[in-house]
Amino acid sequence: AMTKVTAMASTQRFNDAVDYCLMILKELDYKVTASRRLVPLEMLYALMKTIKKLKRVPMDFHKHIGVITHQKRKGIVALTASLNYVAYRAGDSKLSILAACKIVDMTLKYGLSEY
């Protein structure tokens, strides 16, 4: 899946790559958005929720956080990071921000990843 996203991105097919990422994430039972039309509202909600969560995180949180070891979660984070990039390049900054919020949320829940 990542190779196909990379190929689409390298040929400037960012909108296709966005659609592909969303499709694969949905197949992995991970919903980034309920509907593309709702992205602006979902992005605002996710951003406020993420900021609120981060304010509650202790200052030494980074000392105790683990690393994601679950393969499916690693894949979801990787695809969400790709979605963040291709959505930005496709001009969909709201979807890009939503994807970034999802990555932060997964990091807080499951641990660090390379993204």
Side-chain angles (χ1 to χ4, degrees):
M2 294 302 293
T3 306
K4 190 168 182 175
V5 173
T6 304
M8 287 178 190
S10 68
T11 57
Q12 308 292 309
R13 293 175 38 218
F14 298 112
N15 286 314
D16 291 340
V18 166
D19 293 338
Y20 185 71
C21 284
L22 289 172
M23 181 190 73
I24 296 298
L25 286 165
K26 188 176 180 181
E27 286 178 11
L28 291 171
D29 293 323
Y30 187 77
K31 257 199 213 176
V32 175
T33 179
S35 161
R36 291 291 293 270
R37 291 182 304 156
L38 295 176
V39 166
L41 293 173
E42 290 177 321
M43 181 272 303
L44 286 173
Y45 179 74
L47 195 54
M48 290 187 309
K49 195 168 88 173
T50 301
I51 291 168
K52 193 174 180 180
K53 279 183 186 179
L54 288 172
K55 285 182 178 180
R56 290 190 310 242
V57 172
M59 291 300 285
D60 64 345
F61 174 74
H62 65 284
K63 293 178 184 175
H64 308 290
I65 190 168
V67 177
I68 296 177
T69 55
H70 191 271
Q71 287 302 99
K72 182 177 176 182
R73 288 182 186 146
K74 275 183 168 180
I76 289 170
V77 172
L79 272 167
T80 307
S82 293
L83 174 63
N84 174 267
Y85 171 73
V86 294
Y88 176 78
R89 291 298 309 262
D92 194 342
S93 59
K94 290 175 180 69
L95 182 58
S96 179
I97 292 168
L98 179 59
C101 289
K102 297 287 186 172
I103 293 167
V104 171
D105 189 52
M106 285 186 278
T107 300
L108 293 174
K109 281 183 185 171
Y110 306 122
L112 295 173
S113 69
E114 59 192 88
Y115 305 98

